[in-house]
Amino acid sequence: MLFNMGRGGCVYILTNQTHSVLYIGVTSDIIGRIWDHKNKTYPLSFTARYNCNKLVYYESYAHIEEAIAAEKLLKGGSRNSKIKLIDAFNSKWIDLYEELIKE
Protein backbone atom coordinates (compact mmCIF):
# COMPACT_ATOMS: atom_id res chain seq x y z
CA MET A 1 0.00 0.00 0.00
CA LEU A 2 1.35 3.39 -0.92
CA PHE A 3 1.04 6.06 1.78
CA ASN A 4 3.16 8.86 0.42
CA MET A 5 0.09 9.84 -1.53
CA GLY A 6 1.26 12.81 -3.58
CA ARG A 7 -2.07 14.00 -4.99
CA GLY A 8 -3.86 10.95 -3.60
CA GLY A 9 -5.73 10.37 -0.42
CA CYS A 10 -7.40 7.93 1.92
CA VAL A 11 -10.85 7.66 3.38
CA TYR A 12 -10.93 6.05 6.81
CA ILE A 13 -13.23 5.01 9.63
CA LEU A 14 -12.38 5.29 13.31
CA THR A 15 -14.32 3.96 16.26
CA ASN A 16 -14.06 3.94 20.03
CA GLN A 17 -13.34 0.94 22.28
CA THR A 18 -17.00 -0.11 22.51
CA HIS A 19 -17.67 0.48 18.79
CA SER A 20 -20.59 2.72 19.68
CA VAL A 21 -19.31 5.70 17.64
CA LEU A 22 -18.12 5.74 14.03
CA TYR A 23 -16.14 8.63 12.54
CA ILE A 24 -15.40 8.95 8.82
CA GLY A 25 -12.55 11.11 7.59
CA VAL A 26 -10.39 11.80 4.57
CA THR A 27 -6.71 12.72 4.43
CA SER A 28 -3.67 12.83 2.20
CA ASP A 29 -1.50 11.66 5.14
CA ILE A 30 -3.19 8.69 6.80
CA ILE A 31 -0.36 7.84 9.19
CA GLY A 32 0.00 11.41 10.42
CA ARG A 33 -3.74 11.98 10.66
CA ILE A 34 -4.40 8.81 12.65
CA TRP A 35 -1.49 9.75 14.94
CA ASP A 36 -3.27 13.08 15.52
CA HIS A 37 -6.49 11.26 16.45
CA LYS A 38 -4.70 8.83 18.78
CA ASN A 39 -2.82 11.62 20.53
CA LYS A 40 -5.78 14.03 20.66
CA THR A 41 -3.81 16.75 18.89
CA TYR A 42 -7.09 18.64 18.61
CA PRO A 43 -8.65 18.09 22.08
CA LEU A 44 -11.97 19.76 21.22
CA SER A 45 -12.54 17.68 18.09
CA PHE A 46 -15.30 15.07 17.76
CA THR A 47 -12.83 12.19 17.82
CA ALA A 48 -11.11 13.47 20.95
CA ARG A 49 -14.39 14.02 22.81
CA TYR A 50 -15.74 10.57 21.89
CA ASN A 51 -12.41 8.71 22.13
CA CYS A 52 -12.47 7.61 18.49
CA ASN A 53 -8.90 6.48 17.96
CA LYS A 54 -9.20 2.93 16.65
CA LEU A 55 -8.65 2.68 12.88
CA VAL A 56 -10.95 -0.07 11.58
CA TYR A 57 -11.15 0.76 7.86
CA TYR A 58 -9.23 2.67 5.23
CA GLU A 59 -9.03 2.82 1.45
CA SER A 60 -6.47 4.61 -0.70
CA TYR A 61 -7.24 6.57 -3.86
CA ALA A 62 -4.95 7.93 -6.56
CA HIS A 63 -6.56 11.39 -6.33
CA ILE A 64 -7.75 13.22 -3.24
CA GLU A 65 -10.96 14.15 -5.08
CA GLU A 66 -11.82 10.45 -5.31
CA ALA A 67 -11.23 10.02 -1.59
CA ILE A 68 -13.46 13.02 -0.84
CA ALA A 69 -16.22 11.57 -3.02
CA ALA A 70 -15.91 8.21 -1.24
CA GLU A 71 -16.07 9.97 2.13
CA LYS A 72 -19.31 11.70 1.14
CA LEU A 73 -20.84 8.39 0.04
CA LEU A 74 -19.85 6.71 3.29
CA LYS A 75 -21.18 9.56 5.40
CA GLY A 76 -24.47 9.41 3.50
CA GLY A 77 -24.90 5.69 4.11
CA SER A 78 -26.60 4.02 7.03
CA ARG A 79 -24.75 2.86 10.13
CA ASN A 80 -25.56 -0.70 9.10
CA SER A 81 -23.88 -0.23 5.71
CA LYS A 82 -20.77 1.14 7.45
CA ILE A 83 -20.69 -1.84 9.81
CA LYS A 84 -20.98 -4.24 6.85
CA LEU A 85 -18.10 -2.46 5.10
CA ILE A 86 -15.90 -2.70 8.20
CA ASP A 87 -16.85 -6.35 8.75
CA ALA A 88 -15.87 -7.20 5.15
CA PHE A 89 -12.54 -5.34 5.42
CA ASN A 90 -11.62 -6.05 9.05
CA SER A 91 -13.94 -8.68 10.54
CA LYS A 92 -12.31 -8.60 13.99
CA TRP A 93 -12.37 -4.80 14.14
CA ILE A 94 -8.70 -4.71 15.12
CA ASP A 95 -6.83 -1.40 15.17
CA LEU A 96 -5.09 -1.21 11.78
CA TYR A 97 -2.75 1.66 12.70
CA GLU A 98 0.13 -0.61 13.73
CA GLU A 99 -0.17 -2.39 10.38
CA LEU A 100 0.11 0.97 8.58
CA ILE A 101 3.25 2.13 10.35
CA LYS A 102 5.02 -1.20 9.71
CA GLU A 103 4.67 -0.88 5.92
Side-chain angles (χ1 to χ4, degrees), residues 1 3-4 15 27 35 38 42 72 74 79-80 82 85 87 89 91 96 103:
M1 182 84 31
F3 295 108
N4 184 355
T15 191
T27 183
W35 188 93
K38 288 186 168 295
Y42 306 100
K72 288 179 183 177
L74 282 175
R79 178 178 174 84
N80 193 44
K82 295 168 189 148
L85 180 67
D87 283 341
F89 186 80
S91 63
L96 302 170
E103 291 186 11

Side-chain angles (χ1 to χ4, degrees), residues 37-94:
H37 289 299
K38 288 186 168 295
N39 291 282
K40 297 185 179 183
T41 301
Y42 306 100
L44 301 179
S45 69
F46 178 91
T47 58
R49 288 180 306 187
Y50 291 95
N51 295 310
C52 290
N53 59 16
K54 184 177 176 183
L55 178 65
V56 291
Y57 173 85
Y58 63 91
E59 188 170 353
S60 299
Y61 293 87
H63 300 282
I64 191 69
E65 296 83 6
E66 294 171 305
I68 293 168
E71 177 197 31
K72 288 179 183 177
L73 284 174
L74 282 175
K75 284 184 173 183
S78 68
R79 178 178 174 84
N80 193 44
S81 67
K82 295 168 189 148
I83 289 170
K84 286 180 181 179
L85 180 67
I86 296 164
D87 283 341
F89 186 80
N90 179 8
S91 63
K92 295 183 180 178
W93 288 54
I94 61 170

Side-chain angles (χ1 to χ4, degrees), residues 1 3 31 58 95-103:
M1 182 84 31
F3 295 108
I31 293 171
Y58 63 91
D95 190 341
L96 302 170
Y97 181 71
E98 294 299 321
E99 178 183 297
L100 281 180
I101 61 175
K102 287 181 183 175
E103 291 186 11

